[in-house]
Amino acid sequence: MFDFLQKQGATQELAELVLELARAVEEISTTIIHTSTGKAGSTNVYGEEQIAMDVKADEILGRTLKTNPYVAAYCSEELDALEPASEGGIFSVFHDPLDGSSLFDVNFSVGTIVGIYQGSNVIGRTPREQVAALYAVYGPRTTLVLSVGNGVHEFLLTGEGWKLTHETMKLHGEKKYFAPGNLRATKDREDYFKLVSFYVKEQYTLRYSGGMVPDLNHILQKGSGIFLYPGMPGAPQGKLRLLYECGPMAYIMEQAGGASSDGERSILDVEIKELTQTTPIFIGVKEEVKRAEEALR
Ligand code: F6P
Ligand code: MG
């Protein structure tokens, strides 16, 4: 993986960091098999109940990042504040350690999402400044999808380590899949109700598990589709997190030739004002993101 990342233009420091993150993903993948589906008895900064595996995945990534010489600071969806790491570190790293953890007890796929920035401060900047992003899918198999700014690549975890399975992943937009998050919003949002009705009438295929990682991975694997998580009255900014979820996923989908939007601009151009910021998101093939932007303006 190291040589491949360097061939894609990653610096030695970035390639080493991504390799360390891949090791953490491997550890999370084996830990999942032996971890109960029970609750941790704690809540995160958003007031969400944590399960045991949320805490373990956060610990595994935290340990990796704290000791990596290239990491200046990091934070996760499960942490309250930016954690300092190595003095002289050059990157800051933001992650959702176990995305879709409410699906863990029913044995659906879950994931890990990571975004990497140069420098230790991201406030006032945008996700476009990420230098790399990755997500892992823990399904029947464990896969790692990543970009260091030169396209999107997929690796599969095998008995002999990570094997490159997709050199270049592309969104082309031929088949019509839709993944409508926050459907509850249709009660108050006639525009969202109309857009979903359009998908149904036009016979789009529904693919929605309730986990952002597997749902977006489906779109990327099939090469087509749209995922939405709009806001609604009372929660105009939706619930998906800019730094830990939307930013890295937008970086990957745009690197694959797709688009992302908060309704007005690319997710990659949304200013980061605080670590816990959330944003509405429409993400997938360009034509469908445009349609959603027009319909939900
Ligand atoms: O991390 C948040 C998350 O679990 C995403 O993975 C998923 O897309 C979303 O929440 C589902 O939200 P809801 O439970 O509101 O449908
Ligand atoms: Mg999540």
Side-chain angles (χ1 to χ4, degrees), residues 30 84 86 91 108 112 132 159 179 200 215 222 239 251:
T30 48
S86 295
F91 299 118
F108 273 23
T112 293
V200 173
D215 288 337
K222 301 291 182 191
K239 85 157 191 191
Y251 185 85

Coordinates of all heavy atoms in Angstrom, one line a residue, residues 30 84 86 91 108 112 132 159 179 200 215 222 239 251:
T30 N -11.0 -6.8 13.6 CA -11.0 -8.0 14.4 C -11.7 -7.8 15.8 O -12.3 -8.7 16.3 CB -9.5 -8.5 14.6 OG1 -8.7 -7.4 15.0 CG2 -9.0 -9.1 13.3
P84 N -4.3 17.2 21.5 CA -2.9 17.4 21.0 C -2.2 16.0 20.9 O -2.5 15.1 21.7 CB -2.2 18.2 22.0 CG -3.0 18.1 23.3 CD -4.4 17.7 22.9
S86 N 1.6 14.7 18.6 CA 3.0 14.9 18.7 C 3.5 16.3 18.4 O 3.0 16.9 17.5 CB 3.7 13.9 17.6 OG 3.4 12.6 18.0
F91 N 0.1 17.1 10.6 CA -1.3 16.8 10.2 C -2.3 16.9 11.4 O -1.9 16.7 12.5 CB -1.4 15.4 9.6 CG -0.6 15.2 8.4 CD1 0.4 14.2 8.4 CD2 -0.8 15.9 7.2 CE1 1.2 13.9 7.3 CE2 0.0 15.6 6.1 CZ 1.0 14.6 6.2
F108 N -25.8 -5.2 10.7 CA -25.6 -4.5 9.4 C -24.2 -4.1 9.3 O -23.5 -4.0 10.3 CB -26.6 -3.3 9.3 CG -28.0 -3.6 8.9 CD1 -28.5 -4.8 8.9 CD2 -28.7 -2.5 8.3 CE1 -29.8 -5.1 8.5 CE2 -30.0 -2.7 7.9 CZ -30.6 -4.0 8.0
T112 N -15.8 3.2 9.3 CA -15.0 4.2 9.9 C -14.7 5.3 8.9 O -14.5 4.9 7.7 CB -13.6 3.6 10.3 OG1 -13.8 2.7 11.4 CG2 -12.6 4.7 10.8
A132 N -6.1 14.1 2.3 CA -6.5 12.7 2.1 C -7.7 12.4 2.9 O -8.0 13.1 3.9 CB -5.4 11.8 2.6
G159 N -6.0 -12.4 4.2 CA -5.1 -13.1 5.2 C -3.7 -12.6 5.0 O -2.9 -12.7 6.0
A179 N -30.9 6.9 -2.0 CA -30.8 6.6 -0.5 C -31.3 7.9 0.2 O -30.5 8.8 0.5 CB -29.3 6.4 -0.2
V200 N -39.6 7.7 -6.9 CA -40.5 6.5 -6.9 C -41.1 6.4 -8.3 O -41.1 5.3 -8.9 CB -41.5 6.6 -5.8 CG1 -42.5 5.5 -5.9 CG2 -40.8 6.6 -4.4
D215 N -24.0 3.0 2.7 CA -24.9 3.6 1.7 C -24.2 4.4 0.6 O -24.5 4.3 -0.5 CB -26.0 4.5 2.4 CG -27.0 3.7 3.2 OD1 -27.2 2.5 2.8 OD2 -27.6 4.2 4.1
K222 N -21.4 0.8 -7.3 CA -22.3 0.7 -8.5 C -22.0 1.8 -9.5 O -22.4 1.7 -10.6 CB -23.8 0.7 -8.1 CG -24.2 -0.4 -7.1 CD -24.2 -1.8 -7.7 CE -24.6 -2.8 -6.8 NZ -24.4 -4.2 -7.2
K239 N -28.2 16.4 10.7 CA -27.5 15.8 11.8 C -26.1 15.3 11.5 O -25.3 15.0 12.3 CB -28.3 14.8 12.5 CG -28.2 13.4 11.9 CD -28.6 12.3 13.0 CE -28.2 11.0 12.4 NZ -28.7 9.9 13.2
Y251 N -15.0 14.6 -0.1 CA -13.7 14.5 -0.7 C -13.6 13.3 -1.6 O -13.2 13.4 -2.8 CB -12.6 14.5 0.4 CG -11.2 14.7 -0.1 CD1 -10.6 15.9 -0.4 CD2 -10.4 13.5 -0.3 CE1 -9.3 16.0 -0.8 CE2 -9.1 13.6 -0.8 CZ -8.6 14.8 -1.0 OH -7.3 14.9 -1.5

